[in-house]
Amino acid sequence: MKYSIRKQFAYIFIGLMAGTILLCWFINNTFLERYYFHNKQTVVMDAYNQMNAAAQKGSISSDDFDIHLQQLSARYNISILVLDEDSETIRVSGGDPAILKIELWNHVLFDSAEGSEKLYPDTPEPKSGPGGGKASKYEENIITNKTLVRNDSPFYIVQLVTSNRVSMEYLDMWGFLDNGNLFFIRTALEGIRDSVDIANRFLAYVGIAATVASGIIIWIVSKKITDPILELAHISERMTHLDFDARYKGRSFNEIAILGNHINQMADTLEVTISELKTANNELQKDIERKNEVDEMRKEFLSNVSHELKTPIALIQGYAEGLKEGINDDDEESRNFYCDVIIDESGKMNNMVKKLLTLNQLEFGNEVITMERFDIVMLIHNYIQSAEILIRQNDATVHFEQDTPVYVWGDEFKTEEVFMNYFSNALNHLDGERIVDIKLTQESKTVRVSVFNTGIPVPEDSLPHLWEKFYKVDKARTREYGGSGVGLSIVKAIQESMNQKYGVVNYENGVEFWFELEKVTDR
């Protein structure tokens, strides 16, 4: 595959490995020699400090310090020479004493530069050094002699010396210790370059081998990653053709295995869903067959609306004509009665139209249901408080003893409308002890709100029809308080829009209407 993840994995990791090794090689090649040289300078200065400390203590001639000096010379590959005031050798380590002494005197005679006359005022012109004829040989032997560090108190010089005779570079340090002894420290720098070259070659060999080995390992590992992905791709392709028998069979516990298990679950779910869709299609055929029934229901609805509006319109028309004809012009009480009837009937019509509009929006899904978390106990208390006047007018006793907040999920405004319909029905059908009892029953996932009122139970044959539009058990009594038979239909539409249950229960001394809401559970 051109865009294979396996190849991308391999190329990326091999590139990172090779780039890291090349970067390390470049850093080694550029800075390792400088680091070694700086380290050599540090070693030489450390050796000087140890010798100077021993000279101050007077232990430079001791056997213990001689052993320490030998160890220092062997560990860091340096040559050390210490002379007393009579040019006699006190300590020597890591080289030929005669050669080291010659090199030291060459430095003293020819490299002290401006300070040589001050240091040795009685020394003749250096035409020949100790050993005779060495001056000219020294000058021919040295190509460069670069002073790196020069200190006057105590006096010492650190120099980079290039030898023409052996084509090598040395790091030399010479001067005087605090007790007046002359010292000389030399270390060859050629080993640094050899070490750097060897380190770079070794790093290159190891890097090439590591890159090849890593490439092979990454190729194998990426295959273990991409093979399950290819298997999942094959399964998904079969699923696009509605073949849900394909299953992922990996036994690992990584993310790909989790994805495979989810795909298996999705296949099961899709199979069930498609089965349900086929069932729904059959139901749709039945729904089409019910189209005629819906048309009949529409005709019935129009007939019911016409019937409900006919009476108030006739009353309004009759009393309005009476006012226009001037019936009982001199009787102000009659005129007020006519006006009150007109206002009352128009108010009933307005209320019924509003309820019909609300019901229509709910049934056709035009009303937006906003699910929110709210306290049903506070909603009930607030409504009871706002309906205090109606309660007194109906001489009712309302019982609601719940004070602890109970939080539910639902549309708070619509829920209040459901409770309002139940509560107003309870007030309008009160009888006997005239008690309205409101209760909350909490289950594991739901909260049931019930509104009970004392009075005459609903006839059993009327219970299934209570939720139908314009259905009235006692039409005369309903007309008395302005009921339109739409309130319970609105309750039904609201509860179904929130996918919650509702119902009614008959008792010997009254009727209980109830509805349920989803309970907010603590997590």
Side-chain angles (χ1 to χ4, degrees), residues 105-106 108-118 120-130 132-136 139:
W105 284 111
N106 284 334
V108 171
L109 296 176
F110 295 100
D111 296 334
S112 58
E114 297 176 357
S116 60
E117 293 183 1
K118 180 179 180 181
Y120 305 100
D122 300 329
T123 303
E125 288 294 325
K127 293 182 179 180
S128 62
K134 297 293 182 181
S136 59
E139 290 173 346

Side-chain angles (χ1 to χ4, degrees), residues 37 40-41 44 148 158-159 170-172 185-187 189:
F37 181 76
K40 280 292 186 182
Q41 283 185 276
V44 169
L148 303 177
V158 180
Q159 294 176 315
Y170 299 95
L171 182 65
D172 290 354
I185 302 173
R186 164 167 283 190
T187 179
L189 299 181

Side-chain angles (χ1 to χ4, degrees), residues 1 225-235:
M1 294 177 62
I225 297 174
T226 54
D227 284 352
I229 296 177
L230 291 174
E231 182 182 353
L232 291 175
H234 178 66
I235 292 172

Side-chain angles (χ1 to χ4, degrees), residues 148-164:
L148 303 177
V149 179
R150 182 186 181 99
N151 191 61
D152 292 329
S153 180
F155 178 79
Y156 61 80
I157 295 178
V158 180
Q159 294 176 315
L160 179 63
V161 177
T162 303
S163 174
N164 185 35

Side-chain angles (χ1 to χ4, degrees), residues 273-285:
T273 303
I274 290 176
S275 176
E276 292 175 350
L277 285 175
K278 291 183 179 295
T279 304
N281 285 334
N282 292 332
E283 293 297 325
L284 182 60
Q285 296 295 327

Side-chain angles (χ1 to χ4, degrees), residues 20-245:
T20 303
I21 293 172
L22 283 174
L23 179 62
C24 292
W25 179 86
F26 172 77
I27 293 174
N28 276 4
N29 197 51
T30 305
F31 301 106
L32 187 58
E33 183 177 346
R34 301 179 189 177
Y35 174 76
Y36 278 173
F37 181 76
H38 176 74
N39 189 60
K40 280 292 186 182
Q41 283 185 276
T42 303
V43 167
V44 169
M45 288 298 301
D46 186 57
Y48 162 74
N49 290 330
Q50 293 185 40
M51 288 191 301
N52 199 38
Q56 291 174 351
K57 295 178 181 179
S59 60
I60 195 169
S61 301
S62 65
D63 292 337
D64 291 340
F65 185 75
D66 182 55
I67 294 172
H68 177 71
L69 208 62
Q70 296 294 336
Q71 293 174 346
L72 192 67
S73 177
R75 184 180 300 120
Y76 297 112
N77 191 26
I78 58 177
S79 300
I80 301 173
L81 175 67
V82 181
L83 303 179
D84 60 11
E85 292 84 349
D86 299 326
S87 299
E88 295 296 329
T89 301
I90 299 176
R91 285 284 177 262
V92 64
S93 176
D96 187 348
I99 295 176
L100 293 176
K101 187 178 290 188
I102 291 172
E103 294 296 337
L104 171 59
W105 284 111
N106 284 334
H107 277 299
V108 171
L109 296 176
F110 295 100
D111 296 334
S112 58
E114 297 176 357
S116 60
E117 293 183 1
K118 180 179 180 181
L119 292 170
Y120 305 100
D122 300 329
T123 303
E125 288 294 325
K127 293 182 179 180
S128 62
K134 297 293 182 181
S136 59
K137 291 183 180 180
Y138 176 75
E139 290 173 346
E140 293 175 359
N141 181 33
I142 302 302
I143 297 175
T144 60
N145 191 352
K146 181 180 179 181
T147 299
L148 303 177
V149 179
R150 182 186 181 99
N151 191 61
D152 292 329
S153 180
F155 178 79
Y156 61 80
I157 295 178
V158 180
Q159 294 176 315
L160 179 63
V161 177
T162 303
S163 174
N164 185 35
R165 181 169 57 87
V166 295
S167 299
M168 290 180 63
E169 284 187 337
Y170 299 95
L171 182 65
D172 290 354
M173 181 177 183
W174 63 277
F176 294 93
L177 301 176
D178 286 348
N179 64 350
N181 291 151
L182 190 61
F183 74 91
F184 178 60
I185 302 173
R186 164 167 283 190
T187 179
L189 299 181
E190 193 62 29
I192 292 178
R193 294 192 180 90
D194 289 340
S195 298
V196 171
D197 291 340
I198 292 171
N200 286 335
R201 284 197 302 272
F202 179 77
L203 183 61
Y205 298 151
V206 171
I208 293 172
T211 302
V212 173
S214 299
I216 296 172
I217 294 172
I218 291 168
W219 188 260
I220 295 172
V221 171
S222 62
K223 184 177 185 300
K224 292 185 177 181
I225 297 174
T226 54
D227 284 352
I229 296 177
L230 291 174
E231 182 182 353
L232 291 175
H234 178 66
I235 292 172
S236 63
E237 182 182 5
R238 291 177 60 182
M239 290 175 62
T240 58
H241 299 290
L242 302 182
D243 179 6
F244 301 112
D245 292 330

Side-chain angles (χ1 to χ4, degrees), residues 10 12-13 18 21 90 93 100 108 172 189 198 240 270 322 328 345 360 364-365 385 417 427 439 443 478 503:
I12 290 172
F13 283 110
I21 293 172
I90 299 176
S93 176
L100 293 176
V108 171
D172 290 354
L189 299 181
I198 292 171
T240 58
L270 285 175
N328 296 326
E345 294 299 325
N360 182 69
F364 286 92
Q385 185 177 3
E417 190 166 359
L427 291 180
K439 293 182 180 179
E443 301 293 339
T478 303

